[in-house]
Amino acid sequence: MDTTHHPHDVDYGTPASVSEKLVTLEIDGFEVTVPEGTSLMRAAVEAGTQIPKLCATDSLEPFGSCRLCLVEIEGRRGFPASCTTPAEAGMKVRTQSPKLADLRRGVMELYISDHPLDCLTCSANGDCELQDMAGTVGLRDVRYGYEGLNHLKDQADTSNPYFTYDPSKCIVCNRCVRACEETQGTFALTISGRGFESRVSAGESQAFMDSECVSCGACVDACPTATLMEKTVIEAGQPDHSVLTTCAYCGVGCGFKADMKGSEVVRMTPWKDGKANEGHACIKGRFAWGYTTHKDRILKPMIRSKITDPWQEVSWETAIGHAASEFRRIQNKFGVDSIGGITSSRCTNEETYLVQKLVRASFGNNNVDTCARVCHSPTGYGLGQTYGTSAGTQTFKSIEKADVILVIGANPTDAHPVFGSRMKKRLREGARLIIVDPRKIELVSAPHIKADYHLQLRPGTNVAIVNALAHVIVTEGLLDQQFIDERCDKEAFNYWRDFVASDNNSPEALESMTGVPAHLVREAARLYATAGNGAIYYGLGVTEHSQGSTAVIGIANLAMATGNIGREGVGVNPLRGQNNVQGSCDMGSFPHEYPGYRHVSDDATRTLFEKDWGVSLRKEPGLRIPNMFEAAMDGTFKGLYCQGEDIVQSDPNTQHVIAAMEAMECIVVQDLFLNETAKYAHVFLPGSSFLEKDGTFTNAERRISRVRKVMAPKAGLADWEATVALSNALGYPMHYKDPSEIMAEIARLTPTFSGVTYEKLDQLGSVQWPCNDAMPEGTPLMHIDHFVRGKGRFLITQYVPTHEKVTPKFPLLLTTGRILSQYNVGAQTRRTENVQFHEEDRLDIHPQDAAERGIQEDDWVGITSRAGETVLRARVTERMQPGVVYTTFHFPESGANVITTDNSDWATNCPEYKVTAVQVVKVKHTSEWQENFHEFNETQLRLLKEKVVTTEAAGTR
Amino acid sequence: MNVENLIKMANDIGTFFEAMPNREQATRDVATHIRKFWEPRMQKSLIAYLGTHGDETLKPIVRDALREIHPA
């Protein structure tokens, strides 16, 4: 595969047919064999011929409106449209004839008579299908003139920050409208008016920004002219080359073409052949990459003795030397276990691998953890215990075969938007839908989608609901006994069956706790168990609880009990939050296990790594992130290397985290920006964006995809190079010249990665692990014939109410989450135009709770929990249920995590972000914490501004 | 380490496993869980607490598991 592309890909005109039956026909005298159902247009491309077209593109179903793609078929009258005519065996098709040429010229003549002739100065010049078709059909004259009624003076809509809509250039091909419907599933666009008046319209003739448009850009991609055009292309011109890479936002891991002009990105175009996204994208991946060149980026290393000192810009050598010296000083004084590291799910596999290696081999302990601790660590534990490995079981494509979809604690249309669109497409095709969520998320009711059941449970009762669903399946005879007998541990199943069958687990018994009417639970359970292929998708609404691991186990039980494992259309699918959550876990970022989920106490594995790394390794688990904070408060943990994470903003109980930060003597932060954690740091190492380095990300499907460098690291070193330098300075030499050498080491030491090479990724585009001798091209579906652990293991999942209880003082439950346009702590998306879509975190509250407190829309409200207090503006919405409030955590000044507590999952210490008892009252001032935050923030920004530039730093890049 | 937090964490582990039908196995599972996931200073802090403060705040299954990890 050529990984450096010309910006224009082949457009086959219509989607590929999936039929296994082949038909052979003749096109322009050449024989071609295609799957039955293939359009003549696509068959012609297969035969090497491009039939002229305008309204057709291969990401959309054929529409047959432009009348350019007409062909002649021997033995048939007329001129059928090739996009809507399926190929048949024995057909003889002509794509060119004098009559066809005449017809096509006539069509083009009409189009061009109402189109500006500003091709030389048009932003689509060089990438305009209308221009191409005018050339293709040989249009030489427009007999109608240009003085008649036309749209040439229609005004452009520039309201969207990322693209313009210029109706004067619209040919009403409908591609944008169909892309919004078919690809994105938002239905925000329509054609308003009739005949000559027909124009594309966002919403009800609204500006794009005022409409329901979610700025996914599918319409821009589909537009054949300059009607819908990226503003970056309007400003910079057409790209000269493209490089295939992988999105650095959510766990969908979309493949992209970085369309480049030299070393500058002009636009990001979703890769048609990317298996995670199949040519689709969202507002973040497609448009929100401006942070990579934002003025806030820090491009030189800095050090300081105390966090009250101004920063001092230094050379890489000095910064790395200082960090290494401080880490060794601390270890000499406080012991070898007094320092640790945190890897990031925003960094590549190679980078996270190196950080955990540095901690284990160079720091000499196992104090390494990753941000998956605070999101999907319960997935690792739960799926590991039941199935034998920590990973989703399916491909994203598998959803096309699902008959009933059970979404638990996930909001894919906001947090995993491209997969959300794939899910919506399947739902529009008729798959049934069960939502288990405290909030009315978009999927509950969206255009052409309505959930069959919305089990609107109280936060913290997932396990009760899962048990109740299981109870119905067991007691109503809905088990897949054959699957259980063949594939699962019999004794464990019997224990579990007896447990869930008890009356305590009936929907009726649990109704008072969950708040969900028992009959709905019963009906939903019957639907999941009997509607055919049942696929479960879950997110942080499952894991971020005190019983997060128990809930994951319960979900795994449900799938085994109904035989919904081991084939397409079924499975258990954790929707990972960040781009490389799966990868950072795979790479041994957890303190108790090496790459490939092998425990540090396993002698054989440890010996393998000891031999390869040439050091003696510890067999006891290290500290997890919350434990690091506890140890810091205890005075036994004094130094931290934090790569690409912002624990001060993202981890719960902010004041506790800050106290831990202040108790440490050397915090080294490696990041693009002076994030909240960096404000407590003593060494700042400038990070490199995903555009500036080579490596791989692994998405929620276990899909390993290449990240490719399209520009030099702006600070001089890619992140992996900085880690290598730190290790070398610490006296443990690392000699990698290229990330491919790191992947070679990973493959050498990790059985599930043994077949992974950069060459293979270049050749195949991506692979899903396990990728080894048995599965050299990867493993799309897990557990087909047997579970990774052998027999599937049912486990009892007793529901235990959280310690976090509502009281008269804290009568509401707060749950937190994400929104489409912002990403995690917002460090990236807040530095893009996405702030126009979400400029502050709000508190969502039900009208009833608001009325009881005299709260109205936009009022400032104080939210107080046992951990702290913050103030946000209210949004009164019926998406909430009474008694439950919600906010996002994308802005540091919001202090969402000032309120969340350090209550955590029993097995993994994953914080219980989703359940915090709070009171909400109307207020007039920001909270004391926010006042302190603003003061501290101002001080830190001043200390950055007043940084001392040393001579040696001035002389370096 | 903050022993109150450790007690809470240990009891939560105990709560999960005490629902299992085989008490002996469940106790071993609690011990295994703590051994596999708790850094030594956490284990030591809780065991030290058990030795000096008695064991009323710890669930019986946790006490038994800790004694399996570190026999008195």
Side-chain angles (χ1 to χ4, degrees), chain A residues 515-574:
Chain A
V516 182
H519 73 94
L520 292 182
V521 178
R522 286 196 176 273
E523 290 166 23
R526 291 169 195 146
L527 179 63
Y528 171 68
T530 64
N533 286 339
I536 300 177
Y537 295 86
Y538 73 89
L540 306 182
V542 164
T543 55
E544 291 177 343
H545 286 85
S546 61
Q547 279 202 291
S549 291
T550 315
V552 173
I553 291 167
I555 286 169
N557 290 338
L558 276 184
M560 287 191 289
T562 51
N564 278 312
I565 284 288
R567 62 183 189 277
E568 282 196 288
V570 299
V572 174
N573 303 276

Side-chain angles (χ1 to χ4, degrees), chain B residues 9-26:
Chain B
M9 287 160 55
N11 280 338
D12 286 348
I13 294 166
T15 302
F16 177 82
F17 286 106
E18 70 184 359
M20 304 304 160
N22 182 327
R23 168 73 190 211
E24 272 183 36
Q25 181 60 46

